[in-house]
């Protein structure tokens, strides 16, 4: 069987397309879906009512930044893909079964298709004299069988957007024409418009599908012109390649059909019955055995035909948000084959309702027994939810699970006094200073901050662009999580240490950010030369401490913001934290999603981009082990990193209302409207009422 794949533009005959319009072209996705992970498996479907086939969906993790054309050859599936270049140009290569297959040096794969037991592709190759456009034939093992210089055929400057192999040869289509290459020469050339898609039949014909508002018209390319095949009614139907079983395939957002040569339809699958997640801009490639490769804006996934008894069905889950979104993660979870289907419910209705009013609606739904199963906790008063008993302790939810338990979660039991929320990844926001200034101390106090500031050389500053308001906000974020007892409904802000914190913030020298550009000096250089006393560092990789220290060239202490008790003032910055509503009807489904969230962290991507750390401890330990094996860390570096993690017990998740009260009264003190003691008293009064109200 000979088939091909299309790029964004597809083509058809002008005689079939008079006054026809084509639907928008599919967009390439911007990222790959995470690999399928273990999850709580619900009972399989035992009451299958559909007369159609059952398909289980599983994501394919390619690591590609974008995937374009997809096609199958037997049971193998292929895709042209792009990887962003870091220290060099971006790569345009061919993938096979989700892995790198053909990546030519100094060249880019543009188009690809399946031939008769081989692969065809067009390749743009760079050379000292400029560039070449080649037609390349590959074996299914990746061996180059032949190369043809398209420039020698007068096609070097031609733009082709699609290709397909037929019994006559290889068709190259684009820029209003279709060119047939056979025997190393141009065998035919046809004038075609650019408004149609190219598909290949199961019998080896290269076809075109012409879309308009009422139907889609299908015809076959031949050296002599077009051969009309059939017309399908319905503006929402899309036509795809054929298979050994069907001449072509056709699908809508509701179902999948197989087509015969006259356009007769045979229903293959109903997406809702199978729980298939389509996302946006989807396209299909048939594989042998009745399977399919699905490409959408969220990446690739396999649709594998199974017996209905093998298709799990867990049920429906909902997750509440206050305007945030977990769209990519939810799509991947829904496509993972767990049987559970998760839907987002935005309580701000796309921003039309304020966060406060949205939270009131959420509380009302919870009180009425109509709350969601899970919550995205960005912008949510987590401490209040914990105190009200609204959040389930995840350690209890995972109790008895053979694959994952709370001990596998970094910071288990530390944040919020229990394991009330998890995220796929996290970072730590800290401040680093020279060890010659801090010694072995794990933190510092407000008094030590002022003492260090008094000893600065002229022109130096303590922190980059610090103001009294930014200082008290950062410091209060840390302090309030130690001084508010949400369970008891009590707080303590009239203490001597908090008053001292206010006084420190009121005495610091401000260095507000300006719009005037005075040049850029790397933070490590500013720290090394003494231009700054401490520098902000985001710890998003296991090597971050060592890497920053090496760039500075001196031993460092990572102490975070000043804290009254001198403890480490670093904070955990969670990436899209999720909690579970206590007493929900679907604890198994919630556990399945939390496990997917934790286990879907991409180790390769995380290690390369140094953006976040996995909250699943075995993954974190794997990153540490890999870094040691590659010489990027020593065992001593690993021990230091683990000690640093152990010192951090505060997260950026906090009650913004409470923090706002602290900052409001602190600003009054900075403006001279009251003393530090008076500001502390008002803060205590306001927060005492607010904290008590949260019970």
């Amino acid at each position: 069987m000979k088939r091909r794949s299309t790029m964004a533009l597809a083509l058809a005959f002008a005689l079939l397309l008079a006054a026809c319009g084509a639907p928008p072209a599919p967009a390439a996705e911007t990222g790959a879906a995470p690999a399928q992970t273990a999850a709580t498996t619900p009972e399989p479907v035992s009451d299958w009512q559909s007369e159609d086939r059952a398909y289980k969906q599983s994501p394919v993790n390619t690591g590609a930044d974008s995937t374009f054309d997809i096609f199958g050859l037997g049971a193998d599936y292929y895709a042209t893909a792009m990887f962003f270049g870091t220290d060099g140009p971006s790569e345009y290569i061919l993938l096979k079964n989700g892995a790198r297959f053909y990546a030519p040096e100094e060249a880019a794969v543009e188009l690809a298709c399946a031939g008769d037991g081989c692969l065809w592709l067009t390749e743009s190759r760079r050379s000292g004299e400029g560039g070449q456009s080649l037609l390349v034939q590959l074996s299914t093992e990746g061996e180059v069988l032949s190369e043809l210089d398209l420039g020698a055929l007068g096609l070097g400057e031609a733009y082709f957007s699609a290709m397909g192999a037929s019994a006559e040869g290889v068709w190259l289509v684009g820029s209003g024409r279709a060119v047939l290459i056979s025997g190393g020469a141009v065998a035919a050339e046809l004038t075609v418009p650019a408004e149609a898609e190219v598909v290949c039949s199961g019998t080896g014909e290269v076809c075109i599908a012409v879309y308009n508002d009422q139907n889609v018209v299908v015809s076959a390319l031949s050296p002599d012109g077009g051969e009309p095949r059939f017309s399908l009614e319905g503006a929402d139907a899309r036509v795809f390649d054929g298979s050994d079983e069907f001449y072509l395939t056709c699908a809508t957002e509701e179902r999948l059909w197989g087509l015969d040569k006259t356009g007769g339809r045979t229903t293959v699958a109903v997406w809702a019955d199978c729980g298939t997640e389509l996302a946006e801009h989807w396209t299909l490639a048939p594989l042998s055995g009745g399977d399919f490769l699905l490409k959408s804006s969220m990446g690739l996934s396999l649709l594998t035909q199974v017996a209905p008894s093998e298709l799990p069905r867990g049920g429906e889950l909902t997750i509440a948000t206050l305007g945030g979104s977990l769209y990519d993660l939810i799509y991947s979870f829904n496509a993972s084959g767990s049987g559970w289907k998760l839907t987002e419910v935005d309580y701000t209705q796309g921003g039309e309702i304020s966060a406060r009013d949205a939270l009131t609606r959420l509380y009302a739904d919870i009180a009425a027994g109509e709350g969601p199963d899970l919550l995205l906790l960005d912008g949510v008063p987590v401490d209040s939810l914990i105190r009200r008993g609204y959040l389930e302790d995840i350690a209890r939810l995972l109790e008895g699970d053979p694959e994952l338990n709370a001990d596998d979660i970094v910071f288990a039991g530390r944040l919020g006094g229990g394991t009330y929320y998890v995220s796929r990844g996290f970072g730590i926001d800290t401040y680093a200073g020279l060890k010659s200034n801090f010694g072995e101390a794990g933190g510092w106090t407000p008094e030590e901050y002022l003492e260090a500031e008094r000893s600065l050389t002229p022109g130096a500053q303590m922190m980059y662009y610090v103001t009294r308001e930014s200082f008290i906000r950062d410091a209060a974020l840390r302090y309030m999580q130690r001084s508010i007892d949400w369970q008891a409904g009590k707080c303590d802000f009239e203490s001597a240490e908090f008053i001292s914190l206010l006084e420190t913030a009121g005495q610091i020298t401000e260095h507000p950010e300006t719009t005037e550009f005075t040049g850029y000096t790397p933070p490590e250089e500013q720290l090394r030369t003494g231009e700054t006393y401490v520098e902000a560092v985001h710890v998003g990789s296991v090597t971050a401490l060592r890497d920053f220290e090496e760039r500075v060239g001196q031993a460092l202490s990572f102490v975070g913001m000043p804290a009254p008790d001198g403890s480490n003032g670093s904070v955990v910055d969670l990436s899209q934290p999720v909690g579970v509503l206590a007493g929900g009807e679907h604890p198994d489904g919630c556990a399945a999603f939390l496990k997917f969230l934790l286990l879907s962290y991409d180790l390769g991507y995380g290690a390369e981009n140094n953006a976040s750390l996995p909250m699943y401890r075995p993954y974190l330990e794997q990153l540490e082990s890999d870094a040691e094996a590659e010489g990027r860390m020593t065992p001593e570096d690993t021990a230091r990193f683990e000690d640093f993690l152990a010192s951090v017990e505060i997260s950026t998740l906090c009650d913004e209302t409470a923090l706002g009260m602290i900052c409001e009264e602190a600003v009054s003190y900075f403006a001279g409207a009251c003393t530090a003691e008076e500001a502390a008293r008002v803060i205590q009064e306001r927060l005492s009422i607010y904290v008590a109200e949260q019970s």
Side-chain angles (χ1 to χ4, degrees), residues 58-84:
S58 56
V60 176
N61 185 8
T62 67
D65 293 292
S66 288
T67 305
F68 304 107
D69 290 346
I70 60 171
F71 60 95
L73 181 57
D76 296 318
Y77 53 90
Y78 297 83
T80 54
M82 185 270 283
F83 292 79
F84 284 125

Side-chain angles (χ1 to χ4, degrees), residues 1 3-6 55 67-80 112-114 198-200 238-244 248-251 256 271 282-296 300-304:
M1 179 177 59
R3 289 178 286 188
R4 62 82 242 145
S5 58
T6 64
Y55 281 90
T67 305
F68 304 107
D69 290 346
I70 60 171
F71 60 95
L73 181 57
D76 296 318
Y77 53 90
Y78 297 83
T80 54
C113 70
V198 179
V199 291
C200 285
R238 298 186 59 196
V239 178
F240 303 105
D241 289 350
S243 65
D244 293 326
L248 291 172
T249 52
C250 174
L256 169 67
W271 301 130
W282 51 273
T283 188
L284 290 165
L287 308 177
S288 65
D291 296 342
F292 289 84
L293 180 67
L294 169 67
K295 182 183 83 72
S296 74
L300 302 180
S301 59
L302 282 173
L303 303 180
T304 306

